[in-house]
Amino acid sequence: MLKIFKRGETIDLAIPTEKFALKSKWYTWFNRPDMTRYLFYGFKKNTPRLQAKFYRNIGKDRKVFIIQTKRKIPCGVISFSKINMINKSADWAIVKDNKIEPENRGISALESVALLIEYGFEKLGLKRISCSQHVELKGWQNRLELLGFKLEGIHEKKYVYVNKVADTQTLSCQYEDFIKIKKSRKNKIWDGKLNMINRIKKLPKKTFRSKLDDFYETQRKKYYKKVFQI
């Protein structure tokens, strides 16, 4: 049984061990196309031995937590990487098995991020937390805005998976925005599953991502067509 690091409403974040890496299904998550299709490193056959090696090589610039249901079923992993205490910044990523408790699939993933960034800002002292995502994760990006994440840009053809090439998007959450949102929710970034579901329903129909896409398709193309002809 893993030690709980941070308790949530729909899930908990737990601290992995080498034994867990060897004996659990952690390694299998990276062998499933439905869980790896949006990852950036491409497909690599994983094994318990490789997972244990990964665990042993976790450095000071990384924090890794296992996402666990309230029934103590491991259902994913979420982590900080590139932790830089000089710049007070870090990147984060999540891999989650949506076949476990599918009724909570979207909301529990969102709470996992809420717990992680709360730890990052309030315990590690970070000022900026960012991530890169596959361009198709528009809905997920939109939900992350409820935690303070803002779209920073689109990167053309940065994602390569076997023979598939796609754009990626970068998001970041600044400490100041995190604090503003917490204060508006009675000092809780996650103030309940029902409240968050209601906020998701109220998200703008025309997202900032959609507006940026419109700009890219019109003004950006027109601008560079002119510049490249100089």
Side-chain angles (χ1 to χ4, degrees), residues 200-218:
I200 290 171
K201 293 177 181 177
K202 293 177 182 178
L203 283 167
K205 293 289 187 288
K206 182 75 172 179
T207 66
F208 185 74
R209 171 59 201 278
S210 298
K211 294 179 180 180
L212 186 61
D213 283 342
D214 292 343
F215 179 82
Y216 262 55
E217 290 300 316
T218 56

Side-chain angles (χ1 to χ4, degrees), residues 135-214:
V135 76
E136 289 182 3
L137 296 173
K138 296 179 182 180
W140 175 230
Q141 177 257 310
N142 200 201
R143 292 185 179 196
L144 287 170
E145 292 175 348
L146 294 174
L147 301 179
F149 283 91
K150 293 185 288 191
L151 181 64
E152 292 189 326
I154 307 298
H155 308 273
E156 290 183 317
K157 300 179 181 179
K158 190 176 181 180
Y159 172 90
V160 179
Y161 185 102
V162 190
N163 61 343
K164 295 180 180 179
V165 179
D167 296 345
T168 66
Q169 55 195 12
T170 301
L171 319 174
S172 76
C173 181
Q174 311 294 327
Y175 177 72
E176 296 80 7
D177 292 326
F178 170 81
I179 291 299
K180 287 177 186 176
I181 293 174
K182 274 196 71 173
K183 287 181 178 178
S184 72
R185 298 175 188 170
K186 298 181 180 179
N187 212 34
K188 293 180 180 179
I189 191 67
W190 183 273
D191 59 351
K193 175 180 175 180
L194 294 180
N195 287 333
M196 296 305 290
I197 289 174
N198 286 332
R199 290 190 182 99
I200 290 171
K201 293 177 181 177
K202 293 177 182 178
L203 283 167
K205 293 289 187 288
K206 182 75 172 179
T207 66
F208 185 74
R209 171 59 201 278
S210 298
K211 294 179 180 180
L212 186 61
D213 283 342
D214 292 343

Side-chain angles (χ1 to χ4, degrees), residues 103-121:
E103 67 277 9
N104 281 328
R105 57 180 294 180
I107 208 70
S108 59
L110 192 63
E111 186 180 15
S112 299
V113 180
L115 293 176
L116 185 74
I117 66 171
E118 187 173 54
Y119 165 65
F121 285 131

Side-chain angles (χ1 to χ4, degrees), residues 13-50:
L13 299 187
I15 302 172
T17 63
E18 185 170 352
K19 181 180 178 181
F20 179 81
L22 280 168
K23 302 296 183 180
S24 71
K25 293 183 179 180
W26 186 2
Y27 82 95
T28 66
W29 298 331
F30 299 93
N31 290 334
R32 286 173 45 183
D34 62 312
M35 294 181 70
T36 62
R37 67 185 186 279
Y38 292 131
L39 299 184
F40 289 93
Y41 64 76
F43 181 79
K44 298 177 183 178
K45 185 70 175 178
N46 201 19
T47 66
R49 190 174 178 179
L50 288 174

Side-chain angles (χ1 to χ4, degrees), residues 57-70:
N57 291 332
I58 293 175
K60 293 182 179 179
D61 66 341
R62 184 186 291 267
K63 298 286 185 181
V64 178
F65 302 104
I66 298 299
I67 304 169
Q68 197 168 263
T69 71
K70 288 299 181 176

